[in-house]
Amino acid sequence: MRRFGIGVVGALGLLVAVLFVRAAPLTSKQLRVPPGPRLTIDTDGLTERLAGSLRFPTISYRETERMDPAVFRSFHAYLERSFPAVHATLERETVADLSLLFTWPGRDPSLRPVLWMGHMDVVPIEDASASEWIYPPFGGEIRDGFIWGRGAIDDKADIICMLEAIERSIERGFHPDRSFYLFLGHDEEVQSVGAEAAVALLESRGVELEYVLDEGGGFLVDGLSILDRTLAPLVIAEKGSVSFELIARGTAGHSSVPPRNTAAGILAAAVVRLEGNPMPANLGGTVRLTLDFLAPELPFGPRLVLGNLWLFETPLRYFVAQDRVIDALARTTTAVTILQSGVKANVVPQEARAVVNHRILPGDSVEGVRKHVVRTVDDDRVEVRILPRSKPRGPSPVSRIDSAAFSTIQRTVAERFPEAVLIPALSTGGTDARFFHRLTDSVYRLTPIEVQRETLQRAHGLNERVPVASLPRAVAFYSRLMEASAGPMLP
Ligand SMILES: [Zn+2]
């Protein structure tokens, strides 16, 4: 008995030792670089220029006839007034009527150009919520340390900070060796016609890009409760999207002599099976890359778990499934969004219809999701088809994290935000950037604007705003990234 006890203690001791050994050497992937130069930023002017940009209701609609081209054109003119050096130095072209493509030819044609991008359009204000805005959504008010208005965080702060950085670089007499593009889309929130046209135009000119940088959400100062540091996501891929229409057909008739299963009942059962059988979570892929960068920065407990996935994978999978944000990063999601059937209480409906939207994880595909849906529904009476007139899209390719561009961006983040933890990340939403994978294998998405989670949640919602104090650092980041990208880049 005693020997058995010693054996158990010994085995436990060995297990603990193994756990600690595996947790300890998780070496940090964060870079330490010397502090960069102090840059003088015209914070007041920058704040005014951003506030002014929010006074243009550059709303995009899926129904293009509802868009107001005049508002976009006056916004273009506003940019021209606000950034005269950019407009005097870079060539500006209009793409798909309302998007803008700026070109700054470099001195060295052997270097592949870089392209930064963002979007000028914003989502509409819902009539029902218009009265709940503290300040008018298109007023561009500067109050309480914030600039308020629709588009403040998505995505005008980003594009104004990029333009400001380029404007000041030109004033300092800077000229890149590498050619440089800036693309500003006009319909990112709806169809991305502008982005598709810009990619087609660049393709027709034989342009191959070194890297692309688009919006990435923001740097979260309170990103994780177990991490007392800013979380800086560098998005390397985005999920795809497909909607399926499920139609169950039965025989219409009087409800006094119903069939055993009506079309509505058959469809309901199919929907329940789909919700109950999500596609499997994948803790490899992009989640793995995120954890590789995050884990070494965490306190010992979580590090112990993440360093020993051979033992903790099952509990970790359980934990992941409990949080819908984390869960959405780890699997192709299933969301039942429309259910329709029946018109009258005493009439058995002939047909029932559901729409289910899936956001597709890199590694899965539109066809793979279709097979999963058909297999799970497993009922010949339910027709499954891609929702007519919808545009299914597969997940984007995953951009490299061993490229010179990735390390250049990472080094610049480390210089300007030394306290931040950079993580390669997956985006659950779609951006214009997905089209640019045709021009480079290095498409990244990052917004160097420090915000709280709460601020980010206001994007597309009520009382959108951006903290004034976060803007100068964003401009400094873009200035330094411009310099670091202007010549040959080191891996
Ligand atoms: Zn956006």
mmCIF file of all heavy atoms in Angstrom, residues 119 154-155 188-189 215, ligand 1:
data_model
loop_
_atom_site.group_PDB
_atom_site.id
_atom_site.type_symbol
_atom_site.label_atom_id
_atom_site.label_comp_id
_atom_site.label_asym_id
_atom_site.label_seq_id
_atom_site.Cartn_x
_atom_site.Cartn_y
_atom_site.Cartn_z
ATOM 1 N N HIS A 119 -11.339 52.313 -46.114
ATOM 2 C CA HIS A 119 -12.548 52.654 -46.861
ATOM 3 C C HIS A 119 -13.199 53.942 -46.374
ATOM 4 O O HIS A 119 -13.131 54.280 -45.194
ATOM 5 C CB HIS A 119 -13.548 51.501 -46.879
ATOM 6 C CG HIS A 119 -14.041 51.074 -45.517
ATOM 7 N ND1 HIS A 119 -15.205 51.562 -44.973
ATOM 8 C CD2 HIS A 119 -13.544 50.204 -44.611
ATOM 9 C CE1 HIS A 119 -15.407 50.997 -43.790
ATOM 10 N NE2 HIS A 119 -14.405 50.176 -43.541
ATOM 11 N N ASP A 154 -14.622 53.071 -37.741
ATOM 12 C CA ASP A 154 -14.713 52.212 -38.947
ATOM 13 C C ASP A 154 -15.143 53.066 -40.125
ATOM 14 O O ASP A 154 -16.320 53.210 -40.371
ATOM 15 C CB ASP A 154 -15.706 51.086 -38.662
ATOM 16 C CG ASP A 154 -15.801 50.081 -39.800
ATOM 17 O OD1 ASP A 154 -14.964 50.137 -40.711
ATOM 18 O OD2 ASP A 154 -16.720 49.243 -39.787
ATOM 19 N N ASP A 155 -14.231 53.644 -40.905
ATOM 20 C CA ASP A 155 -12.806 53.384 -40.901
ATOM 21 C C ASP A 155 -12.068 54.704 -41.130
ATOM 22 O O ASP A 155 -10.954 54.733 -41.589
ATOM 23 C CB ASP A 155 -12.527 52.356 -42.020
ATOM 24 C CG ASP A 155 -11.069 51.998 -42.176
ATOM 25 O OD1 ASP A 155 -10.370 51.939 -41.164
ATOM 26 O OD2 ASP A 155 -10.633 51.810 -43.314
ATOM 27 N N GLU A 188 -16.983 49.285 -49.228
ATOM 28 C CA GLU A 188 -16.465 48.126 -48.489
ATOM 29 C C GLU A 188 -17.567 47.468 -47.667
ATOM 30 O O GLU A 188 -17.587 46.255 -47.488
ATOM 31 C CB GLU A 188 -15.319 48.573 -47.571
ATOM 32 C CG GLU A 188 -14.504 47.441 -46.970
ATOM 33 C CD GLU A 188 -14.986 46.974 -45.605
ATOM 34 O OE1 GLU A 188 -15.941 47.571 -45.051
ATOM 35 O OE2 GLU A 188 -14.436 46.003 -45.087
ATOM 36 N N GLU A 189 -18.488 48.284 -47.157
ATOM 37 C CA GLU A 189 -19.523 47.751 -46.267
ATOM 38 C C GLU A 189 -20.603 46.980 -47.025
ATOM 39 O O GLU A 189 -21.457 46.356 -46.410
ATOM 40 C CB GLU A 189 -20.171 48.902 -45.462
ATOM 41 C CG GLU A 189 -19.188 49.677 -44.578
ATOM 42 C CD GLU A 189 -18.719 48.882 -43.362
ATOM 43 O OE1 GLU A 189 -19.097 47.703 -43.229
ATOM 44 O OE2 GLU A 189 -17.953 49.446 -42.565
ATOM 45 N N GLU A 215 -7.487 47.729 -42.799
ATOM 46 C CA GLU A 215 -7.947 47.897 -41.425
ATOM 47 C C GLU A 215 -8.008 46.564 -40.681
ATOM 48 O O GLU A 215 -8.349 45.540 -41.259
ATOM 49 C CB GLU A 215 -9.337 48.542 -41.407
ATOM 50 C CG GLU A 215 -10.368 47.696 -42.131
ATOM 51 C CD GLU A 215 -11.799 48.182 -41.947
ATOM 52 O OE1 GLU A 215 -12.098 48.798 -40.930
ATOM 53 O OE2 GLU A 215 -12.611 47.935 -42.849
HETATM 54 ZN ZN ZN B 1 -14.427 48.792 -41.945
#
